[in-house]
Amino acid sequence: MHEYLRKKWFYFLLLLLALVFPLFGPSRLIFTMLILSGIWSIATLGLNLILGYTGQASLAHGAFFGIGAYAVGIMTTRLGLSFWIALPLASFLCAAIGFLIGLPTLRTKGAYFAISTLAFGIIVFIIAGNWSDLTGGHMGLPAIPRPNPIPLPLAGEISFTSPAARYYLVLFFLLLTLWVMHRVVFSLQGYSFMAIRNNENLAEAVGINTFRNKLLSFMVANFFAGLAGGLYAMQLGALSPFITHHVLTFNLIIYLILGGVATLAGPIIGAITVPFIVDALFAIGPYRMVIFGVLLIVSIIYFPRGLMGGLTSLWNRTADYYRHRKDGVRHAAES
Amino acid sequence: MELFFQQTINGIMLGSTYVLVALGVTMIYGIMRLPSFAHGHFYMLGAYITFFLITLYNFSYWPALILSMVVLFFIGGLVERIVFRPLREQSQISNFIAAIGILLFIEHMVTVIWGPHSHRIPNPYPEHIYLFGASVSQQRLIVILAAVVLIALLQLFIKKTVIGFTMEATAQDREGAALVGINVNRVSSLTFSIACALAAAAASLVAPIFVIVPGMGSLLVMKAMVIFILGGLGSIPGAIIGGYILGLIEALGGGYISSEYKDVFAFGALILILAIKPTGIFGKGAA
Amino acid sequence: MLLKVEALSKHFGGLKAVDGVDFHVNQGEIVAIIGPNGSGKSTLFNLISGTLRPTTGKVLFQGDEITAHKPYRVAALGIKRTFQTTTLFDQLRVVDNLAIGRRVNTKTGFWDALFRTARWRRERDETVGKVLELSGIIGLGDKFFDFVTTLSQEAQKRLAIGIALASEPGLLLLDEPTAGINMEETAEIIELIRKVREAGTTICLIEHKMRMVMGLADRIIVLNYGRKIAEGTPQEISGNQVVIEAYLGGKSIA
């Protein structure tokens, strides 16, 4: 345990920081942004499993996020279900739809898979905008209730009307997602995913049922897209069809790639930094998205492996430098 | 019957623009293995430049269209040079991100300059003519004819010129082409340029019929992707046939079934067809 | 009889890449398949391993029909293969490559990984042990944690064989295991193949280098234009007039 803490102290420090953060009394805006970043992180971690670890570029991730959001919205408003039941149901619904959509689409590879999942995403967007009886159509779905308070034995109850409570709720689910991803990625199951990403033909030749594994990865990824979507519905309290639009998928991919694909920290770094950068650009006025476009191009050219990749190679170079310096000293001492 | 005829003309006209855009996407993929998600935005930019030349500098329609193609030709080459060439060895997903950067840049630049609301290019040929008892606007027929001319010119260029031949060779075998001394960079640049010029032509041709808005290219590029996937990655005949078929399905489906859900049929069909034939209708072999 | 191939054919349009080939491999043998370029050797491997579906004919392994099984099912039954161009998981390390090669022997799935079940623990420890031992056998013990792109050409070839061996297959199909490396390195690969056979694995290999096959194989099968034109011991093949004419244009072998 001592050894474990020594190696992972940095992560525990970050966790501690995240836990005590609300005590500093941040503004409502910062709270909202952090809650949303937490939600994007969960969705991006899901995308990371199918795209980063399994190598299948799903462009339906935003659509599944939207399905999760609408499922929670519809279940809590029209069916009167509690949020605590609606959220897991919505997540499992996304995994199930992922299974059904995966059956045809995962038979295709590369760009074919990307475009056929994109086609599914566009269909979801059209349905969300036009099936008014279910989704409220283009007018959107208003008045999604806050989660029921959780009663506490001594101290009354946790009510989710305060941003701090929602912050901790999202943080809890983010840690849960991270835990699942950590366990799955660093296991023999994770090896199967990475084998498919690296060389699907060889993976098949060594005996991995690539279709089944891709389907599994797709379902888990979509489960977390749905979970994040459900939390989004809870945070916003209202939905518009644009939450299923492929622009959301593109945003999640940007968080993933700029943060660092196929790492566990990368999606979270991307989902926190990119929205804050975009927000900071608001000060520049009408040209902000023009500049964001340029930033995106420049960073993908100069940091193709994202911030995590950039940091890792910087860390390795620094470590190398010091090792060489030490070696240099030893050589000097020996000679 | 009148409705059928009119919708067929509309379908072929829509299909003409789809073909011109899908041809660009197909050529870029063929040469550079790059799904060009920003292509709809080059299309949009082409329409705006035509609009700009006509309204601000009082160009007449055809010179504006041709100049717009020329401008997009250079912009396309420039974009290939400064964005995609440095990313040549990177994964498709990195190129995808760069394409998103480009489309954000173009869309918001246009919004800043011309505003988010729609504009209209004055219709140069507003008269209608009567064909088989249905009235058809001249501009629609011009779109159809001009597209046919452009497609034919492109085919001639690829099949009959040395540069066209080197493009085809590069599309078939990039490494091999480099080995026999073809300048792959130049071919890529040229391909991107031609693809963008075609998109500008398509947009400028239909702009007098519809309105122009900064977001006009985003759904179009998705349809071009569908065509290019169904046609089989990088197959030019596939893109031509696929483009016309999609235009007809949309116009007839929209006219007879349901206009809200017409795209659902198109995109749903894509998923089903790929489920049966994972490499597209005209595709051969694995991806 | 471990592997039995009966009247196996594969036609691509009008081209008969493999045309009615019969052969078998006995337990413990090294069988070599030789033939000029385009004689259908690799196609034959692809048919056995399930990468291609045969037009007609049968493949039997340990008496059970495995014709047109998917590649992963063929591998799960105990037939492992390598590819003509060295094929590895090149984003990963040596240890990862070997562990993935052994994945077919383990059943750890999503829930096992999530809850770290007894099976997860047992299979993880077992995989680490076996893979460590195997890395020694293929001579990569000191490169256990190295990324495969840092390995030499010849080490990569040994690793490719290691990936196939990791699941302790009943039959190993090697597609030109020494293509593109020099004489000295070839000798090391041959040494490895012998060692593998002595450990009890049956081997069927495609080869170009005549000299190597002559000293290594128990039996040789010669293909030409998709048809089997001869079969026998190395001595019989090197004296076979049909083979000499078809394969070497009249020059004597070895």
Side-chain angles (χ1 to χ4, degrees):
Chain A
M1 196 61 205
H2 177 74
E3 178 70 5
Y4 189 72
L5 273 179
R6 202 180 60 80
K7 262 159 66 180
K8 306 277 178 186
W9 63 269
F10 187 67
Y11 296 101
F12 281 100
L13 190 72
L14 282 182
L15 176 61
L16 194 70
L17 216 63
L19 283 173
V20 301
F21 180 75
L23 301 181
F24 296 106
S27 72
R28 213 175 167 83
L29 177 71
I30 296 284
F31 246 138
T32 306
M33 288 194 67
L34 275 179
I35 291 170
L36 285 177
S37 281
I39 291 170
W40 305 139
S41 298
I42 295 170
T44 311
L45 279 165
L47 181 64
N48 193 25
L49 188 70
I50 182 76
L51 194 159
Y53 285 101
T54 320
Q56 310 300 312
S58 166
L59 298 185
H61 209 68
F64 282 100
F65 183 96
I67 292 174
Y70 268 103
V72 165
I74 290 165
M75 281 192 262
T76 51
T77 55
R78 291 177 204 258
L79 302 179
L81 284 180
S82 149
F83 172 78
W84 304 111
I85 296 170
L87 186 67
L89 278 182
S91 310
F92 280 108
L93 177 72
C94 283
I97 296 177
F99 175 78
L100 292 177
I101 292 304
L103 285 179
T105 57
L106 282 167
R107 285 168 44 81
T108 65
K109 289 177 184 161
Y112 289 99
F113 176 71
I115 308 291
S116 53
T117 47
L118 181 68
F120 170 72
I122 294 172
I123 291 175
V124 171
F125 177 62
I126 295 172
I127 292 176
N130 289 297
W131 192 353
S132 307
D133 293 340
L134 186 72
T135 64
H138 291 293
M139 305 297 292
L141 191 66
I144 298 165
R146 297 267 183 233
N148 302 343
I150 301 174
L152 286 183
L154 294 172
E157 57 178 27
I158 307 174
S159 138
F160 290 93
T161 49
S162 81
R166 294 198 297 275
Y167 171 88
Y168 283 118
L169 181 68
V170 169
L171 184 62
F172 166 78
F173 280 111
L174 175 58
L175 291 174
L176 182 78
T177 310
L178 205 52
W179 176 77
V180 171
M181 292 300 164
H182 184 265
R183 287 242 158 144
V184 172
V185 165
F186 296 107
S187 73
L188 289 169
Q189 180 57 58
Y191 269 149
S192 295
F193 293 153
M194 287 186 253
I196 293 168
R197 170 189 72 193
N198 197 165
N199 191 328
E200 198 167 333
N201 288 333
L202 182 58
E204 184 95 12
V206 299
I208 292 171
N209 184 343
T210 52
F211 183 74
R212 246 190 78 180
N213 277 284
K214 286 194 286 186
L215 200 54
L216 172 67
S217 172
F218 194 50
M219 286 169 69
V220 176
N222 292 332
F223 178 93
F224 287 104
L227 177 70
L231 291 168
Y232 181 85
M234 179 261 334
Q235 164 66 17
L236 269 274
L239 293 171
S240 109
F242 275 93
I243 199 58
T244 66
H245 197 258
H246 58 256
V247 165
L248 174 64
T249 306
F250 291 179
N251 285 345
L252 297 176
I253 293 179
I254 290 169
Y255 302 158
L256 176 60
I257 304 295
L258 290 194
V261 70
T263 62
L264 289 179
I268 300 174
I269 293 177
I272 293 174
T273 48
V274 177
F276 271 88
I277 290 172
V278 173
D279 188 62
L281 289 176
F282 261 85
I284 310 171
Y287 284 97
R288 63 182 176 275
M289 289 312 281
V290 177
I291 292 168
F292 181 64
V294 176
L295 275 182
L296 211 53
I297 295 168
V298 170
S299 45
I300 202 67
I301 291 175
Y302 291 103
F303 302 98
R305 283 164 56 235
L307 280 169
M308 266 306 278
L311 286 178
T312 316
S313 65
L314 188 70
W315 171 256
N316 286 345
R317 244 181 291 162
T318 323
D320 266 3
Y321 174 73
Y322 281 106
R323 201 173 314 131
H324 282 258
R325 253 184 41 166
K326 257 196 217 155
D327 283 358
V329 172
R330 208 178 58 223
H331 284 311
E334 280 165 4
S335 62
Chain B
M1 197 57 207
E2 201 188 311
L3 176 70
F4 176 78
F5 185 73
Q6 233 158 17
Q7 289 304 81
T8 306
I9 293 280
N10 279 342
I12 297 175
M13 185 208 69
L14 273 179
S16 304
T17 61
Y18 293 169
V19 170
L20 290 178
V21 176
L23 273 176
V25 170
T26 299
M27 286 167 60
I28 292 173
Y29 189 89
I31 303 283
M32 302 164 71
R33 294 288 172 268
L34 175 75
S36 179
F37 275 92
H39 214 63
H41 283 71
F42 290 115
Y43 166 91
M44 178 267 287
L45 188 61
Y48 269 93
I49 287 173
T50 304
F51 166 76
F52 169 75
L53 292 172
I54 290 176
T55 53
L56 229 70
Y57 289 98
N58 294 319
F59 272 64
S60 54
Y61 179 67
W62 289 103
L65 183 145
I66 288 168
L67 196 53
S68 166
M69 283 177 73
V70 172
V71 171
L72 261 289
F73 183 91
F74 284 109
I75 290 178
L78 198 67
V79 165
E80 191 280 334
R81 178 69 194 83
I82 60 180
V83 178
F84 290 111
R85 199 173 295 174
L87 286 168
R88 173 109 359 113
E89 303 304 321
Q90 298 296 337
S91 62
Q92 274 192 354
I93 208 81
S94 295
N95 282 287
F96 173 78
I97 299 269
I100 294 178
I102 291 167
L103 71 84
L104 286 176
F105 180 85
I106 297 177
E107 182 169 336
H108 290 94
M109 206 65 173
V110 166
T111 310
V112 168
I113 298 173
W114 285 291
H117 47 280
S118 63
H119 291 284
R120 188 178 278 282
I121 292 180
N123 193 335
Y125 302 98
E127 296 87 21
H128 285 236
I129 52 171
Y130 289 86
L131 279 173
F132 307 103
S135 103
V136 180
S137 85
Q138 280 186 16
Q139 182 64 22
R140 284 173 202 253
L141 293 177
I142 285 170
V143 172
I144 295 170
L145 288 178
V148 170
V149 170
L150 282 171
I151 294 166
L153 281 177
L154 182 73
Q155 284 290 23
L156 277 177
F157 175 75
I158 292 175
K159 297 291 175 196
K160 299 287 180 201
T161 66
V162 177
I163 312 171
F165 178 72
T166 55
M167 281 172 70
E168 212 176 9
T170 313
Q172 272 161 18
D173 181 358
R174 199 186 174 89
E175 274 92 54
L179 280 180
V180 299
I182 291 174
N183 184 338
V184 176
N185 282 337
R186 256 186 55 199
V187 171
S188 302
S189 244
L190 185 67
T191 307
F192 220 96
S193 291
I194 293 175
C196 287
L198 285 177
S204 309
L205 283 169
V206 293
I209 299 172
F210 305 126
V211 293
I212 59 174
V213 282
M216 68 194 270
S218 35
L219 192 61
L220 182 79
V221 74
M222 300 303 157
K223 288 178 182 164
M225 289 288 163
V226 168
I227 293 163
F228 132 89
I229 286 286
L230 285 184
L233 303 181
S235 156
I236 287 181
I240 296 172
I241 297 168
Y244 283 120
I245 289 177
L246 190 71
L248 282 170
I249 289 178
E250 235 187 86
L252 295 173
Y256 287 103
I257 307 170
S258 142
S259 58
E260 282 102 20
Y261 287 104
K262 64 182 199 295
D263 291 332
V264 171
F265 297 121
F267 291 112
L270 169 84
I271 297 176
L272 282 181
I273 290 171
L274 286 181
I276 297 158
K277 203 160 179 307
T279 50
I281 298 174
F282 295 89
K284 34 191 186 290
Chain C
M1 222 176 294
L2 192 64
L3 179 79
K4 192 164 165 52
V5 170
E6 289 176 4
L8 203 61
S9 296
K10 177 69 186 178
H11 302 172
F12 295 107
L15 175 77
K16 292 175 177 175
V18 172
D19 189 11
V21 170
D22 289 280
F23 78 98
H24 69 275
V25 178
N26 294 320
Q27 183 76 46
E29 268 188 319
I30 296 184
V31 173
I33 299 172
I34 64 171
N37 272 332
S39 59
K41 306 184 298 284
S42 284
T43 308
L44 187 58
F45 263 24
N46 287 337
L47 293 174
I48 297 170
S49 64
T51 315
L52 291 173
R53 296 175 74 91
T55 313
T56 55
K58 272 191 201 172
V59 183
L60 295 116
F61 183 63
Q62 294 173 325
D64 300 322
E65 181 159 355
I66 59 161
T67 318
H69 274 17
K70 286 233 155 84
Y72 76 89
R73 288 188 61 198
V74 175
L77 288 170
I79 302 181
K80 283 298 215 43
R81 67 168 300 181
T82 64
F83 294 86
Q84 196 163 8
T85 47
T86 313
T87 308
L88 306 166
F89 297 109
D90 57 11
Q91 300 164 350
L92 305 173
R93 301 166 301 173
V94 170
V95 45
D96 309 324
N97 272 268
L98 295 176
I100 292 170
R102 221 190 133 62
R103 183 72 176 105
V104 67
N105 306 39
T106 58
K107 295 205 156 31
T108 298
F110 178 75
W111 300 110
D112 296 300
L114 199 56
F115 298 113
R116 302 212 159 154
T117 57
R119 175 155 75 188
W120 172 85
R121 192 171 305 279
R122 190 183 66 241
E123 291 187 344
R124 181 195 61 176
D125 295 346
E126 194 182 274
T127 300
V128 170
K130 290 280 185 187
V131 158
L132 204 63
E133 185 190 311
L134 178 61
S135 69
I137 295 174
I138 59 171
L140 293 174
D142 54 334
K143 303 221 158 45
F144 198 56
F145 291 113
D146 290 9
F147 278 91
V148 301
T149 42
T150 65
L151 299 179
S152 72
Q153 266 255 298
E154 186 257 350
Q156 289 193 358
K157 284 193 183 295
R158 274 185 282 144
L159 179 59
I161 296 174
I163 294 173
L165 268 184
S167 61
E168 300 161 66
L171 175 64
L172 188 59
L173 304 175
L174 301 173
D175 196 343
E176 295 200 25
T178 64
I181 52 176
N182 66 32
M183 291 293 279
E184 223 171 288
E185 294 166 334
T186 302
E188 283 189 44
I189 297 282
I190 290 176
E191 197 49 45
L192 175 61
I193 294 173
R194 284 220 174 86
K195 210 155 63 175
V196 170
R197 194 260 287 267
E198 273 158 33
T201 308
T202 309
I203 294 168
C204 180
L205 63 96
I206 293 176
E207 211 16 281
H208 246 95
K209 293 177 184 167
M210 219 22 90
R211 202 181 300 271
M212 160 186 170
V213 175
M214 289 299 158
L216 185 66
D218 301 313
R219 254 176 338 116
I220 295 177
I221 290 154
V222 189
L223 293 187
N224 197 18
Y225 295 112
R227 302 189 72 91
K228 185 169 89 172
I229 58 167
E231 178 176 349
T233 62
Q235 288 74 24
E236 287 164 0
I237 293 298
S238 59
N240 186 320
Q241 206 53 45
V242 180
V243 176
I244 294 167
E245 271 169 26
Y247 190 76
L248 292 167
K251 277 186 276 172
S252 87
I253 311 178

